[in-house]
Amino acid sequence: MKRINLRNSNKLYKKALKIIPYGAQTYSKGVKAFSDGVSPKFLAKGLGCEVWDVDGNKYIDFVMGNQPLILGYADPDVNKAVNKQLALGSTFSVANKLEIDVAELLVKHIPGAEGARFGKNGADATTIAVRLARAITKRDHLAFCGYHGWHDWFVGTTDLNGGVPKFNEELAHSFPYNDIENLEKIFKKYKNKISCVIMEPITVSGPKSGINGSTQWSDFDKKKNFLVDVKSLCKKNGALLVFDEVVTGFRYDIGGAQKMFGITPDLGCFAKAMSNGIPVSAITGKKEYMKYLETTFFSFTYGGDCIGLAAAKATINKIEKKNVIDHLYKAGSKLKKGMNELIKIYDLEEMLECSGYPCRSVMTIKKFGKYKKPLITKSLIQQELMFREVLWSQYHSISYSHKNSHIDKSLNAFEAAFKKLKKIVKNNNSIENNLLGKPCETVFTRVADFQSVATSQRK
Ligand SMILES: Cc1ncc(COP(=O)(O)O)c(C=O)c1O
């Protein structure tokens, strides 16, 4: 197996570190997520689902810019729309019609969208959603489930909370997905204080549903499921329900998880796949709540930036016209099925599983025997995939550009990685000793508020 040349990547990284703390702008695009020594640190170009690093190595990409590239890099239709808009101007002194065009598209596709306002990052949308809920209910506390971005209200609950005033942590209470009892406890403990529940409507698992509590989409019971229970708890307690659809929107369904499951939240947050990697985000919601945006502060210079909006218009139209979601499920199912078959063949089922919805599946890595560090196992798989020209960071962000040939080639690479892992495990050898780079690290761990609720209940 040839070890790829990363000379230019490493040279640039050294240069960057002198003036750019951490050497990257996003934690999950730096050395914490990509094993230092075996992974490229700088990419130079992308086309479809393939990328080239600064040393000329080419990879099939499953990270896709941290998930937004639903159509693929340099999509011709998005590029055409963006170039056209660039020639007309990008940011204006008053509003532009594109704001209406994209708001109309959101209203058309998203069941809970009776209006929209735009931001740039996903965190802009989740942050204004929380502020809006607080303004409307005149309550400060909130319950949340999932990751929601870098702003104070969320980061205050993590162990990476330097510089965030302590009160943020005291106001935000996390609950585990599919655990309705835990959310009930939060509502009980902070009676009449919870402004909203903000949550990712799908994590790796889907909502528990039916009598058996299945999390499989095929068993989904529209009337009896976790999300229905969350919605009725919110209603009962006078709190707003906010779906953070930054990942699920335009990927799991063109109308988001709310359309897929038939459960309409009060507010919705969208970003990522909405504009194929050109920054724009949106808050959507019911008219009666959205009207409060006239008096709740959400205003910044690039709020109506036309480049992001032109990209969003082209992306959403293409997702609809080309039935992109159907492709994501088909290509993603081929990958997921193929991977789980290989895991079975190499007898690694106790250690690995490809889980989640096919449009964005995840490799679940479990502790097994003496192999107690999933990040070390991840680093080995990543290393072996990198050497076989697959850029991977544990999840599979399928795009319209991932065709059968890319999936087949990737499955060959996964097979080689699993074969190597199996050999190590079978011989009771150390995975660490087989790593040629530095192991991946976690970015942060969450302060598990649901544990503190449980503990305080016991006291
Ligand atoms: C579910 C979810 N919400 C919010 C965000 C924040 O989005 P951004 O990083 O664009 O601010 C992310 C980012 O990964 C996310 O996955």
Side-chain angles (χ1 to χ4, degrees), residues 46-48 69 71-80 276:
L47 190 64
L69 288 139
L71 301 175
Y73 289 91
D75 178 79
D77 297 305
V78 177
N79 277 5
K80 195 170 150 198
N276 201 45

Side-chain angles (χ1 to χ4, degrees), residues 129-161:
V130 165
R131 182 177 293 171
L132 206 50
R134 284 172 162 166
I136 293 166
T137 60
K138 302 198 170 25
R139 299 170 175 180
D140 289 341
H141 289 254
L142 62 101
F144 71 93
C145 173
Y147 174 76
H148 304 291
W150 78 280
H151 290 66
D152 279 9
W153 75 263
F154 174 77
V155 168
T157 67
T158 72
D159 62 352
L160 214 63
N161 55 3

Side-chain angles (χ1 to χ4, degrees), residues 121-123 126 147-149 200 244 246-247 272:
N121 292 292
T126 56
Y147 174 76
H148 304 291
E200 292 184 63
D244 175 349
V246 168
V247 168
K272 296 207 194 253

